[in-house]
Amino acid sequence: MATIQMRLGPKETTMSDFRTTQPHMLKESKAYQSQILMGGLSGFESPVGMDRRDRLQALKTGDIGFVHSWDINTSVDGPGTRMTVFMSGCPLRCQYCQNPDTWKMRDGRPVYLEAMIDKVARYKDLFQLTHGGITFSGGESMQQPKFVTRVFRAAKEMGIHTCLDTSGFLGKNYSDRDIEDIDLCLLDVKSGDEETYHKVTGGTLQPTIDFGKRLSKLGSKIWIRFVLVPGLTDSVENVENVARICEQFGNAVEHIDVLPFHQLGRPKWHELRIPYPLEDAKGPGKELKARVIKQFEDHGFVVY
């Protein structure tokens, strides 16, 4: 691995030093700062003086949502120019998670529903010009179903395209009516069998399958996302199982994204003092990625 030199206070350090985090804050380094989600929470009014009980009630009704950050991007989280909102809180603990700082809901900032809807409306003309829209990601946005679905419903009323980036693990939180407001789902099918899925995420696979079937039945489009990690998700059998799962979603699947594993999230694990299970893992080579792409193509899928 190439050595990246950075200046942290009075001494030089390298990316390898992230293995044993020092007392200084890694977020002072350029390598860490480059991974911070853009947008922050500027422009949002946050509830002030609301006690814990009131916040829980407002969260339950969707009057507030706990948000990590947001940004404006193109061709990353759906078609066109997107406003991507990263919600706080996630029940899974994926080994390759790039944003472990979104795991805990309490680490987000409470944002009023009206403030979020106003922010979406502000970009309406841009979305319509670029065929873009609003995307909720995370963390796991399905952990705050009322807030997300109320924003989506308001967006649909404004004629704005909606997209949900999710593992589908919390699909039971969504009614069929809620799903009808999802134009597109970026569905993470993280592995193709229960054993591997649990190893990767700590969760169970079946909820993803069930949610994908519901999306297909109710008319939402699906872009499948599969993270290719050598030695973890790359076996021929696992990829075949993922392909067979995707076949169950029928024509709803527009394409599959094979996403090569990378180490961009590693500094965050160290900054948060979380043991990183893929410390020495490498990204897939060209031959491995080509093999996996061909496996999906052999099942009739368009693959990126």
Side-chain angles (χ1 to χ4, degrees):
M1 180 174 66
T3 298
I4 301 175
Q5 296 290 334
M6 298 174 293
R7 172 71 66 179
L8 289 178
K11 72 165 190 169
E12 295 287 344
T13 188
T14 67
M15 282 294 288
S16 62
D17 291 323
F18 284 139
R19 295 169 181 266
T20 54
T21 305
Q22 302 301 314
H24 62 257
M25 298 298 288
L26 292 181
K27 61 186 178 185
E28 294 175 0
S29 74
K30 291 182 180 179
Y32 179 83
Q33 290 173 353
S34 68
Q35 304 312 318
I36 294 294
L37 297 170
M38 297 174 61
L41 285 172
S42 60
F44 284 115
E45 181 182 358
S46 197
V48 176
M50 185 181 290
D51 64 24
R52 182 175 181 274
R53 184 180 62 180
D54 289 339
R55 286 195 179 196
L56 289 175
Q57 180 60 29
L59 180 65
K60 183 177 180 180
T61 61
D63 289 328
I64 65 171
F66 284 81
V67 179
H68 176 278
S69 54
W70 69 282
D71 70 10
I72 297 293
N73 60 64
T74 302
S75 301
V76 176
D77 298 310
T81 300
R82 316 292 304 180
M83 175 182 173
T84 301
V85 181
F86 299 89
M87 303 298 289
S88 293
C90 183
L92 301 181
R93 294 295 181 263
C94 298
Q95 291 193 30
Y96 49 70
C97 181
Q98 186 176 341
N99 297 306
D101 50 339
T102 65
W103 285 353
K104 298 177 182 179
M105 191 182 301
R106 65 174 180 266
D107 290 341
R109 175 177 167 185
V111 171
Y112 282 121
L113 174 69
E114 293 81 2
M116 181 63 68
I117 293 174
D118 288 346
K119 180 72 74 174
V120 174
R122 186 178 305 175
Y123 291 100
K124 178 180 177 179
D125 291 344
L126 176 63
F127 295 151
Q128 292 180 340
L129 180 66
T130 64
H131 304 288
I134 172 74
T135 297
F136 273 104
S137 186
E140 174 52 74
S141 55
M142 296 186 87
Q143 192 161 317
Q144 301 186 59
K146 290 299 183 182
F147 183 82
V148 172
T149 56
R150 289 179 70 182
V151 174
F152 272 177
R153 194 152 303 170
K156 294 298 296 178
E157 290 174 356
M158 290 185 278
I160 295 173
H161 184 273
T162 60
C163 177
L164 185 71
D165 182 4
T166 181
S167 68
F169 184 70
L170 297 176
K172 289 185 178 180
N173 287 352
Y174 276 51
S175 69
D176 287 356
R177 177 64 185 88
D178 296 333
I179 292 175
E180 289 174 0
D181 287 326
I182 302 172
D183 292 319
L184 172 67
C185 181
L186 310 181
L187 185 62
D188 297 321
V189 181
K190 299 173 186 290
S191 289
D193 64 81
E194 287 288 359
E195 182 179 356
T196 305
Y197 192 94
H198 183 73
K199 182 178 180 181
V200 172
T201 71
T204 56
L205 169 62
Q206 190 61 45
T208 298
I209 300 173
D210 295 341
F211 188 64
K213 289 179 178 179
R214 292 178 66 203
L215 288 165
S216 176
K217 178 182 177 181
L218 295 168
S220 299
K221 294 301 181 181
I222 301 173
W223 292 1
I224 298 294
R225 288 180 163 180
F226 173 70
V227 180
L228 178 59
V229 186
L232 185 62
T233 66
D234 64 333
S235 73
V236 172
E237 295 79 8
N238 188 51
V239 175
E240 282 297 310
N241 288 336
V242 171
R244 294 190 186 102
I245 288 170
C246 295
E247 287 178 332
Q248 298 180 51
F249 308 150
N251 294 331
V253 178
E254 295 191 331
H255 69 258
I256 295 176
D257 290 309
V258 175
L259 305 176
F261 167 74
H262 56 68
Q263 289 283 12
L264 295 178
R266 181 168 59 181
K268 288 187 179 182
W269 287 71
H270 287 275
E271 194 268 335
L272 294 169
R273 309 296 196 270
I274 304 172
Y276 185 43
L278 299 177
E279 192 72 62
D280 299 310
K282 306 292 184 182
K286 292 182 179 180
E287 290 186 3
L288 175 56
K289 186 175 180 181
R291 189 213 82 198
V292 171
I293 288 175
K294 186 176 186 304
Q295 282 187 259
F296 286 127
E297 289 178 339
D298 287 346
H299 284 262
F301 293 109
V302 175
V303 186
Y304 297 143

